[in-house]
Amino acid sequence: MSHFTHMKTRFQNLFYLEKALNRLNINHEEKASSKVESSNMNLIIPQSNGYDIEFAWNGQEYELVVDMSYWEQPYPIESFIDKVAQQYAGEVIIGESQKTGFQPIKYQQNADGSNTLVLERWNNEKIIQSV
């Protein structure tokens, strides 16, 4: 008998969530939400045992839906969520800062598990000299 666990997250943007999963090399696919009133897509992470992991839109955020008895990922679920959250945060920072003219010039994953992100923005305004 399956017992699905619904874990709340702070993932609210499908685009950034997909980019985070891509950065972690986690295969996933989009699936239309089964909720009639929702036009949002859910993300499915297939597992070889057939008990897939799902990021399902609950109206406010993408919650992680998983049957803990059939977890097949290479690290515990808490580490999985932490890794996805870390990459998601980096993708949000890059994406939102690009909207204001910043460009990422360095994205580095450090040996201690942290990330270093360097952004830059050039001021293209003309310099007017007064005499």
Side-chain angles (χ1 to χ4, degrees):
M1 180 174 192
S2 294
H3 293 90
F4 288 101
T5 301
H6 294 251
M7 301 180 78
K8 291 204 175 259
T9 69
R10 302 237 182 226
F11 308 140
Q12 298 176 329
N13 186 299
L14 180 66
F15 177 73
Y16 295 137
L17 179 55
E18 284 191 281
K19 287 186 70 105
L21 294 175
N22 288 338
R23 192 174 286 277
L24 292 167
N25 295 316
I26 297 173
N27 293 328
H28 61 280
E29 52 198 47
E30 287 187 6
K31 174 185 160 193
S33 174
S34 59
K35 295 181 179 178
V36 175
E37 71 278 359
S38 177
S39 62
N40 286 64
M41 299 298 284
N42 293 341
L43 291 180
I44 306 297
I45 300 170
Q47 296 194 119
S48 61
N49 62 11
Y51 292 90
D52 299 338
I53 300 166
E54 182 173 8
F55 281 102
W57 183 251
N58 68 10
Q60 296 179 346
E61 63 195 8
Y62 286 92
E63 62 186 3
L64 184 66
V65 180
V66 62
D67 187 330
M68 300 295 288
S69 302
Y70 298 99
W71 182 258
E72 262 192 356
Q73 298 305 303
Y75 25 78
I77 193 162
E78 295 82 10
S79 297
F80 174 83
I81 291 173
D82 288 345
K83 289 175 185 297
V84 173
Q86 183 180 36
Q87 297 304 319
Y88 179 86
E91 294 301 332
V92 169
I93 291 168
I94 290 170
E96 296 302 308
S97 63
Q98 285 178 324
K99 293 177 183 177
T100 59
F102 286 90
Q103 293 299 315
I105 59 170
K106 179 181 178 184
Y107 193 107
Q108 174 182 320
Q109 294 183 345
N110 303 314
D112 66 358
S114 67
N115 292 333
T116 300
L117 175 59
V118 178
L119 304 166
E120 72 179 4
R121 180 172 75 175
W122 292 90
N123 186 349
N124 291 330
E125 295 178 17
K126 293 182 180 178
I127 298 175
I128 301 173
Q129 292 182 338
S130 61
V131 233

